[in-house]
Amino acid sequence: LDERSRSYLLQYVEKLPSSFSKLVAWQSLWEGMLRGNIAPMELLTTIRRGLAAEDEQLGLSSRLGYLRGIYWGFLNANQRKSLSQELAGELRQLMDSSKDRDKKKSFYDAFVSVSMHVNDVALLLKIWEKKESIEGLELSENDLTNLAYELALRGLGNSDEILKQQMARIENPDRKKAMAFISPALSLNPTVRADFFESLKDPNNRQKEPWVNQAMGYLNHPLVAKESEAYLRPGLELVEELQKTNGIFFPISWTVSLLSGHSSPEAREI
């Protein structure tokens, strides 16, 4: 995109006449940001402005994916902290006002993802405790498990108890096993987290690759990135072994889960 086209789309992309033209335009804006031609906050502003006007579920899911990608991948901790409450408030309002169940669920997922302010986290805790509900949206067992993970990520004093209680709620045996595997990556105890990472050096503990990827994502999430920098070098050193012991795509997903939450100068040096 040239400068004139970028400027026009940043102002009017949500008003383009067809779904296809909007899809192409949004992809062009995203790629322009990745190339450094558009500031992340500038694109985020455009995305926020257009959410209420997004009338197709596929388009909405894509826009919210971009929103989360910018929020966690391109903003620093101070930017997220200053933006979180306002952004979460917008998403909650859209969630509450949406009449379409799928759209409401998409706004809910985004609201959970960006919530960091104490008031928003307190609401999420009440939802998990089933003391609050979202009108028109019934959360599944899997939704509540993911919510427990997100609450644990935010370092609540009772995080380990939340994980324990959620595991007791789960009726599906495979999901219960998955949570038992993933939960140590979210423990309040740094020794438990470190021991979990060490356990992944054993190929037998990497057999359930989706579980490993999810746990590694939590272990290296931006909210705990500083504490998890110690896993970067040994995690990268494992990649060659992963190419021999795991599936063909696993080394890539492992590397993405390991690195995507880190953006500090110290992490770049590694």
Side-chain angles (χ1 to χ4, degrees):
L1 290 175
D2 58 41
E3 185 175 352
R4 184 178 179 182
S5 298
R6 286 197 302 271
S7 178
Y8 177 84
L9 290 178
L10 285 167
Q11 293 182 53
Y12 301 111
V13 60
E14 72 272 18
K15 296 180 180 179
L16 293 177
S18 72
S19 299
F20 180 74
S21 62
K22 283 195 285 189
L23 173 66
V24 173
W26 279 114
Q27 288 177 337
S28 298
L29 289 172
W30 178 256
E31 290 169 4
M33 187 202 71
L34 295 179
R35 294 191 184 101
N37 297 323
I38 299 172
M41 285 293 285
E42 187 176 17
L43 182 54
L44 183 58
T45 298
T46 298
I47 293 170
R48 292 166 66 184
R49 188 187 66 236
L51 287 176
E54 192 61 64
D55 54 3
E56 294 187 4
Q57 176 60 32
L58 184 62
L60 178 63
S61 296
S62 177
R63 300 305 87 75
L64 291 172
Y66 290 157
L67 182 148
R68 288 193 291 266
I70 293 172
Y71 185 82
W72 289 114
F74 293 89
L75 303 186
N76 61 43
N78 289 332
Q79 288 173 315
R80 287 194 296 268
K81 185 177 180 180
S82 65
L83 180 63
S84 172
Q85 188 175 18
E86 180 182 348
L87 179 57
E90 292 173 6
L91 292 168
R92 183 182 175 187
Q93 185 177 20
L94 289 164
M95 174 184 73
D96 289 341
S97 63
S98 178
K99 303 301 182 185
D100 182 274
R101 193 270 176 195
D102 291 336
K103 290 182 180 179
K104 186 181 287 286
K105 179 61 164 55
S106 294
F107 287 128
Y108 162 81
D109 288 337
F111 170 67
V112 172
S113 177
V114 307
S115 290
M116 294 171 59
H117 189 273
V118 60
N119 292 342
D120 296 318
V121 175
L123 173 61
L124 293 179
L125 179 59
K126 287 181 180 179
I127 291 172
W128 177 80
E129 293 172 333
K130 301 184 180 180
K131 296 177 181 177
E132 294 274 357
S133 61
I134 303 167
E135 185 177 356
L137 183 64
E138 183 176 352
L139 298 179
S140 68
E141 181 181 271
N142 199 45
D143 292 328
L144 291 169
T145 300
N146 288 331
L147 181 53
Y149 291 151
E150 292 289 336
L151 289 168
L153 259 180
R154 281 141 182 86
L156 298 183
N158 60 340
S159 290
D160 289 343
E161 184 61 26
I162 289 172
L163 294 172
K164 181 179 177 181
Q165 288 184 28
Q166 181 59 33
M167 199 179 307
R169 289 177 174 179
I170 296 176
E171 297 179 358
N172 182 290
D174 290 332
R175 288 180 184 157
K176 190 180 285 285
K177 289 177 184 177
M179 189 171 191
F181 179 88
I182 292 166
S183 290
L186 290 151
S187 173
L188 283 174
N189 189 332
T191 301
V192 173
R193 297 197 303 271
D195 288 346
F196 172 75
F197 176 78
E198 286 297 316
S199 75
L200 297 179
K201 294 180 180 180
D202 182 345
N204 293 321
N205 294 327
R206 301 194 301 263
Q207 292 182 2
K208 297 287 188 179
E209 294 178 3
W211 299 0
V212 175
N213 286 330
Q214 189 172 0
M216 283 291 289
Y218 290 134
L219 195 64
N220 294 277
H221 191 277
L223 287 174
V224 292
K226 188 63 180 176
E227 296 93 324
S228 60
E229 284 178 3
Y231 308 134
L232 290 177
R233 189 176 299 279
L236 291 172
E237 289 172 349
L238 267 176
V239 171
E240 185 174 354
E241 179 183 334
L242 301 181
Q243 293 172 338
K244 302 173 183 176
T245 60
N246 290 85
I248 186 171
F249 298 112
F250 183 67
I252 297 173
S253 60
W254 166 278
T255 304
V256 171
S257 298
L258 176 69
L259 298 180
S260 59
H262 296 275
S263 59
S264 70
E266 293 80 6
R268 292 191 191 100
E269 289 180 6
I270 295 171

